[in-house]
Structure formats: structure tokens, C-alpha cells
């Protein structure tokens, strides 16, 4: 396959960036999207040019590092798929692909396609934890959890914190991310000791980081690579009102 890439290049947070054109040939339909960027970087390095900076780690859809806006869609055209799990067979020979970083005030660009997602870490530090004692695994039946409840908690726990929800939201809201964490822990008995302070502190931190409010557009749910339902946000709101009352 032969592709034309328009890639966001920005040398540091202070300087403005621009889309730079690259022609790439020899692209296999079986390559992942990150392997496409690897191929581009090999060619740039061979030509003595600066490679394109982009984040990645697991390349297995687990870590949430591969945060790219592809043709205006967070993680590209395939639903419920992180960028690292997106394959070039989803594109056609001769396509032009525009590759940009997430755009949100609270997730500032560091360089090229890399954004600073430490705001998510601070939201987690504010309350995304439980106070169970560590040690050996407890006996499985010592705390009973209904299967449906456990399944919902697990669904919310699949959030990989990639930030696609923020990038797709017109308000740059981190509500789906924060709600997934709040709902996951609120559904399990182990999360109940900090239940009230958790939702208050995490939502407070979310606002302090500069994320916008949720106005129920639903774009977050549409682009979430793990298919996390916007129902999580309704749960977070209920948890919030429960806490302040
Ligand atoms: S690189 Fe880890 S989820 Fe994509």
C-alpha cells in the first residue's frame, strides 16, 4: 500500500505546530497503526531527520498509551479498538491519513503526538484507591458479590485511561474516565469505606485540572476502545448526590 500521511509536528509545548506531509510506500495491510509510524520513523532516521514522537507501551490494547487522533476520530475508524490494535487493512491504498495528538487544555502537547496525561494520575491519586490490606488473596466466599454487580464493576474496570473520551468530547470532559473509576469501586464492597470521599475528591480534582463538564453528547462512549457505557456517568452523579446529602 502507498499512503500519504499528514502528521502533526510540534517540537515543544511553547512552539506552535503544523501538519507535515509524508509519502509512505511498502505499507502492509497486516501492519498495526503503530508499526506504520515505526516504518515512517525508520525512514526519517535513515534520512537524518527527527523521528515522530508518539506514545506506546503494551501494543496490546491494555496500557492506554497509544493516544492518537486519526482522521479526526480518537483511535481511528474502527470502534472499540485502541490505536495499537488498529490494522492498516482498515485503510485503502492511496488514502490520505491525518494523524494528530489529543486536543484538550488539560492534556497539553509535549512533543509531536505526545500529550501529558498526568492529570489522569492526579485524579486517581485523589480517590481512585481502596484501603484493603495487602497480603495473600482472601478466601473467595468471604465477601459475596452478586454476579451482575461483579460483571458491571469489571466492565467499568476495563477503562485503560487512554483519554479518548476527553479528546472526543466537545467540552473536553473527563467524566467518562472519572465515572468509570468511581462506578467500578462503588459497585464492590471493598470500595465502600472511601465511597463518599472518593467521588467528591475525584470530581473536584477533575474540575481543578481544567476538564470541562459533561453535557451528555455521548461522544465519549462512541470512541471508548473498551466500550464503557455512559451509564457510568449517571452512576457517578448518583454517587455524588448521595455523598453531599
Ligand atoms: S500501546 Fe498500550 S493500549 Fe495501545
Amino acid at each position: 500500500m502507498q499512503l500519504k500521511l499528514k502528521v502533526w509536528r510540534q517540537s515543544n509545548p511553547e512552539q506552535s505546530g503544523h501538519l507535515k506531509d509524508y509519502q509512505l510506500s511498502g505499507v502492509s495491510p497486516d501492519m498495526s497503526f503503530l508499526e506504520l509510524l515505526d516504518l515512517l520513523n525508520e525512514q526519517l532516521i535513515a534520512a537524518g531527520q527527527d523521528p515522530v514522537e508518539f506514545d506506546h507501551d503494551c501494543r496490546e490494547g491494555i496500557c492506554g498509551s497509544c493516544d492518537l487522533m486519526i482522521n479526526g476520530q480518537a483511535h481511528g475508524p474502527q470502534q472499540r479498538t485502541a490505536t495499537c490494535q488498529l490494522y492498516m487493512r482498515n485503510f485503502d491504498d492511496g488514502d490520505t491519513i491525518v494523524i494528530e495528538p489529543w486536543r484538550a487544555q488539560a492534556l497539553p502537547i509535549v512533543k509531536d503526538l505526545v500529550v501529558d496525561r498526568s492529570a489522569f494520575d492526579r485524579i486517581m491519586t485523589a480517590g481512585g484507591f481502596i484501603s484493603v490490606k495487602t497480603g495473600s488473596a482472601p478466601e473467595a466466599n468471604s465477601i459475596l458479590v452478586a454476579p451482575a454487580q461483579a460483571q458491571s464493576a469489571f466492565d467499568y474496570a476495563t477503562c485503560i485511561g487512554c483519554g479518548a473520551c476527553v479528546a472526543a468530547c466537545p467540552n473536553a470532559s473527563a467524566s467518562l474516565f472519572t465515572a468509570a473509576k468511581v462506578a467500578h469501586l462503588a459497585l464492590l464492597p471493598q470500595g465502600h469505606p472511601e465511597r463518599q470521599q472518593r467521588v467528591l475528591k475525584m470530581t473536584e480534582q477533575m474540575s481543578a485540572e481544567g476538564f470541562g463538564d459533561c453535557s451528555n453528547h455521548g461522544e465519549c462512549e462512541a470512541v471508548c476502545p473498551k466500550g464503557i457505557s455512559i451509564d457510568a456517568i449517571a452512576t457517578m452523579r448518583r454517587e455524588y448526590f448521595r455523598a453531599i446529602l
Side-chain angles (χ1 to χ4, degrees):
M1 293 168 75
Q2 233 180 350
L3 297 169
K4 182 175 178 185
L5 304 182
K6 288 179 170 288
V7 184
W8 187 258
R9 304 299 315 253
Q10 182 171 345
S11 39
N12 59 55
E14 283 72 43
Q15 293 199 330
S16 53
H18 62 281
L19 285 170
K20 189 165 170 46
D21 290 354
Y22 298 99
Q23 290 286 349
L24 206 55
S25 53
V27 177
S28 162
D30 296 327
M31 277 180 176
S32 74
F33 202 85
L34 297 188
E35 286 167 340
L36 172 86
L37 291 177
D38 290 340
L39 183 68
L40 172 66
N41 277 347
E42 281 169 16
Q43 295 186 10
L44 291 176
I45 291 166
Q49 296 175 27
D50 253 3
V52 177
E53 298 283 342
F54 63 98
D55 256 339
H56 61 96
D57 190 1
C58 71
R59 298 196 176 208
E60 293 180 342
I62 300 169
C63 71
S65 304
C66 52
D67 40 7
L68 295 182
M69 193 64 95
I70 301 165
N71 287 342
Q73 284 180 286
H75 291 301
Q78 189 165 309
Q79 278 199 320
R80 298 196 176 194
T81 306
T83 298
C84 61
Q85 301 285 286
L86 179 68
Y87 287 86
M88 298 317 297
R89 64 182 79 101
N90 291 290
F91 300 87
D92 294 322
D93 189 27
D95 271 359
T96 297
I97 306 177
V98 181
I99 310 169
E100 296 171 273
W102 289 167
R103 308 279 186 186
Q105 191 187 334
L107 304 176
I109 295 172
V110 177
K111 187 175 180 186
D112 294 337
L113 303 171
V114 177
V115 299
D116 179 357
R117 288 183 297 130
S118 58
F120 276 10
D121 297 336
R122 291 188 288 276
I123 293 174
M124 289 301 286
T125 307
F129 53 82
I130 56 171
S131 58
V132 292
K133 289 188 172 55
T134 54
S136 57
E139 202 280 317
N141 291 317
S142 58
I143 303 176
L144 297 176
V145 183
Q149 204 171 326
Q151 187 58 53
S152 292
F154 182 76
D155 288 346
Y156 293 137
T158 58
C159 168
I160 54 175
C162 62
C165 48
V166 176
C169 176
N171 306 332
S173 172
S175 288
L176 191 65
F177 165 77
T178 309
K181 308 303 176 189
V182 167
H184 159 214
L185 296 174
L187 282 165
L188 296 175
Q190 292 88 340
H192 287 186
E194 297 90 3
R195 187 173 180 176
Q196 293 180 9
Q197 54 171 311
R198 176 182 303 115
V199 67
L200 295 177
K201 288 187 173 172
M202 289 182 81
T203 50
E204 186 184 330
Q205 189 64 37
M206 178 175 69
S207 298
E209 296 291 346
F211 293 107
D213 289 329
C214 171
S215 44
N216 297 321
H217 283 267
E219 297 288 336
C220 52
E221 182 183 76
V223 299
C224 177
K226 298 299 163 183
I228 293 175
S229 165
I230 201 170
D231 289 353
I233 298 177
T235 302
M236 180 173 74
R237 286 174 176 156
R238 280 196 295 275
E239 288 293 309
Y240 184 83
F241 285 115
R242 197 173 182 274
I244 56 172
L245 290 173

